[in-house]
Amino acid sequence: MKIGVLKEIKPNEYRVAAVPATVMEMVRHGHTVYVESGAGVGSGFSDAAYAEAGAIIADAETVWSEADLYYKVKELFPQEYKWMAKDKILVTYIHSNAHPEETDVLLESGVAAVAYEDVEDAQGRFPLLRPMSELAGKGGFLAALHYAQSVHGGSGMLLANVAGVDAPVISIIGGGNVGLGAAELAAAFGNTVRILDVNMDAMLESKKYLPGNVSFLISNRANLEKCLRESDVLINCILWPKHRKDHLVYREDLKMMKEGAMIIDVACDDEGAIETCRSTTHDDPVYREEGILHYCVDNIPSAFSRTASVTLANATLPYVLQIADKGFKKAMEDNHLLRKGMTCYGGKLTLKETALKQDRVWTDPNELIKVW
Ligand SMILES: NC(=O)c1ccc[n+]([C@@H]2O[C@H](COP(=O)([O-])OP(=O)(O)OC[C@H]3O[C@@H](n4cnc5c(N)ncnc54)[C@H](O)[C@@H]3O)[C@@H](O)[C@H]2O)c1
């Protein structure tokens, strides 16, 4: 199959879908890989490195017109719409539920599309979201380390274990992929780390590999108040359903926090688990509410574009290879977990979430594969 790796056009997006090492694997499987010139520059990968791995370096027009499978990172932008067609395959983070115009294009063109964010593993987790979540958690701790410094407007506390000084207390709400990423770094720096979660089994599992300076608390009001009072940093890592109007941490609760304490809201749902959260950007990342510094950047991994590209490319490669090796239909038929990621095929919308949200006709992918 001819695979096309495109340069992302979203502002401030530096990631690339495939890195030279994964291009080499695709070539070894007998595929022809086109890489748009400059696609890897934002992640530190030159055209020469891709060429050495066996790719054909070409301009955007050539990649879009030659490739059978478009391998990308972000959703489609209007300039990219014209390339969608019945005989093409799109593999990327699509987020069709949030982009009705993009959904129109996908359906009208008849393109076959798979969204990273909906592919599942056998445990019902999302293997193509996990790598970015880990980076977001780690980046959240690093943001705390940065903004705690007096030269950056913080309390002047070094978030590490320094002899003769009380170790800072870092509380993490939600011990999922993001929370564990944050906990791993915060603990390695010697902080006193607390993870609050509602899932005891998950906490028992995490306890096996995290060091002794991480303790685990059931997430209830009493434990949350204790963490609010005692923490130097509160890191929020739970997904808050959009329909919920209540909060876990209310504006009023910020008065319990220590002077100089901060909130890192990695989940960054506006007025979500943290009432005072509003998402921010890398250009303008922090603000204060009730005297508490808030950091709520909604695309933390893009700050670590090279690491993000490598980890994302490693995670997506096995799925892209299944599609390229077997063809789209056979890959969907053989792997029901990859099939969960199918957004559309031949003008039929197979992602239920988007059909419900945008009031469109839904085609059950499990039925579609019997008759296509
Ligand atoms: N800012 C960014 O750049 C960025 C990047 C990646 C992910 N995220 C966001 O981070 C959030 C977490 O992602 P994840 O992959 O870790 O999710 P996850 O599902 O792996 O983890 C969420 C955890 O929260 C726990 N939880 C649920 N309700 C809770 C409660 N009331 N109290 C305490 N814990 C509770 C769950 O048991 C689970 O362990 C999501 O909202 C995601 O969209 C943000």
Side-chain angles (χ1 to χ4, degrees):
M1 196 177 271
K2 288 190 265 182
I3 299 170
V5 179
L6 280 313
K7 182 170 166 62
E8 297 302 320
I9 57 175
K10 184 174 179 167
N12 290 326
E13 179 55 69
Y14 300 106
R15 288 174 295 175
V16 59
V19 298
T22 61
V23 165
M24 189 182 278
E25 291 306 314
M26 292 187 274
V27 172
R28 282 166 58 86
H29 276 240
H31 304 296
T32 304
V33 182
Y34 289 85
V35 175
E36 183 180 338
S37 178
V41 165
S43 293
F45 296 110
S46 65
D47 287 354
Y50 283 104
E52 204 173 314
I56 298 169
I57 310 300
D59 58 23
E61 188 97 1
T62 307
V63 180
W64 283 109
S65 51
E66 287 297 320
D68 306 308
L69 186 155
Y70 301 138
Y71 196 4
K72 272 177 53 60
V73 178
K74 295 305 290 183
E75 66 273 11
L76 293 176
F77 280 73
Q79 304 93 298
E80 300 171 321
Y81 289 168
K82 66 175 181 211
W83 298 106
M84 296 303 110
K86 196 158 75 6
D87 55 346
K88 303 282 188 178
I89 301 164
L90 172 69
V91 189
T92 192
Y93 286 119
I94 298 179
H95 296 296
S96 55
N97 58 346
H99 301 107
E101 188 185 282
E102 181 192 32
T103 312
D104 285 341
V105 171
L106 294 175
L107 297 179
E108 280 158 20
S109 66
V111 70
V114 169
Y116 296 150
E117 66 271 19
D118 298 308
V119 173
E120 287 187 22
D121 67 14
Q123 286 73 42
R125 295 175 305 215
F126 299 97
L128 305 186
L129 282 177
R130 193 206 58 75
M132 295 305 107
S133 296
E134 180 187 350
L135 281 194
K138 289 188 156 75
F141 168 73
L142 293 175
L145 194 69
H146 179 87
Y147 286 104
Q149 297 171 35
S150 31
V151 289
H152 296 129
S155 63
M157 179 178 275
L158 176 58
L159 300 178
N161 185 4
V162 175
V165 184
D166 264 350
V169 176
I170 299 190
S171 295
I172 297 168
I173 315 176
N177 294 311
V178 170
L180 293 177
E184 199 185 326
L185 281 198
F189 274 64
N191 296 287
T192 297
V193 180
R194 296 171 181 164
I195 294 181
L196 291 123
D197 204 298
V198 287
N199 184 339
M200 194 59 191
D201 289 340
M203 289 198 287
L204 282 170
E205 203 46 42
S206 304
K207 186 170 175 285
K208 287 182 194 161
Y209 68 87
L210 282 170
N213 55 335
V214 182
S215 59
F216 296 85
L217 297 172
I218 279 290
S219 179
N220 56 29
R221 185 68 200 174
N223 283 333
L224 179 66
E225 285 189 11
K226 175 181 165 64
C227 290
L228 281 165
R229 283 200 181 85
E230 297 174 5
S231 301
D232 299 292
V233 183
L234 188 73
I235 308 184
N236 174 40
C237 308
I238 62 172
L239 175 73
W240 201 247
K242 294 260 178 284
H243 64 268
R244 281 186 74 161
K245 296 277 175 266
D246 61 333
H247 313 284
L248 210 58
V249 176
Y250 287 83
R251 173 177 292 277
E252 204 48 30
D253 295 335
L254 303 194
K255 299 195 172 101
M256 285 184 232
M257 296 181 77
K258 292 198 268 192
E259 206 184 324
M262 70 174 92
I263 292 179
I264 306 289
D265 196 341
V266 182
C268 70
D269 297 304
D270 289 330
E271 294 167 48
I274 311 280
E275 183 178 11
T276 44
C277 168
R278 53 173 197 271
S279 24
T280 60
T281 63
H282 284 293
D283 292 335
D284 190 11
V286 293
Y287 61 91
R288 277 183 198 275
E289 290 283 351
E290 309 296 332
I292 300 293
L293 187 110
H294 291 55
Y295 171 97
C296 309
V297 172
D298 64 6
N299 63 337
I300 298 172
S302 74
F304 309 101
S305 53
R306 188 176 173 99
T307 306
S309 294
V310 175
T311 181
L312 181 64
N314 287 339
T316 58
L317 178 71
Y319 299 99
V320 167
L321 279 179
Q322 284 173 48
I323 297 170
D325 290 352
K326 298 176 173 187
F328 187 82
K329 285 184 174 179
K330 184 85 172 77
M332 294 304 131
E333 287 162 14
D334 286 358
N335 185 344
H336 72 285
L337 297 169
L338 174 58
R339 191 156 77 230
K340 292 200 177 220
M342 178 164 60
T343 299
C344 57
Y345 176 84
K348 293 187 164 31
L349 179 61
T350 47
L351 188 67
K352 199 171 195 174
E353 190 189 339
T354 299
L356 289 174
K357 182 143 184 221
Q358 297 172 9
D359 199 17
R360 296 177 192 259
V361 176
W362 174 66
T363 301
D364 184 342
N366 303 321
E367 295 304 318
L368 180 66
I369 60 164
K370 294 180 194 159
V371 295
W372 61 7

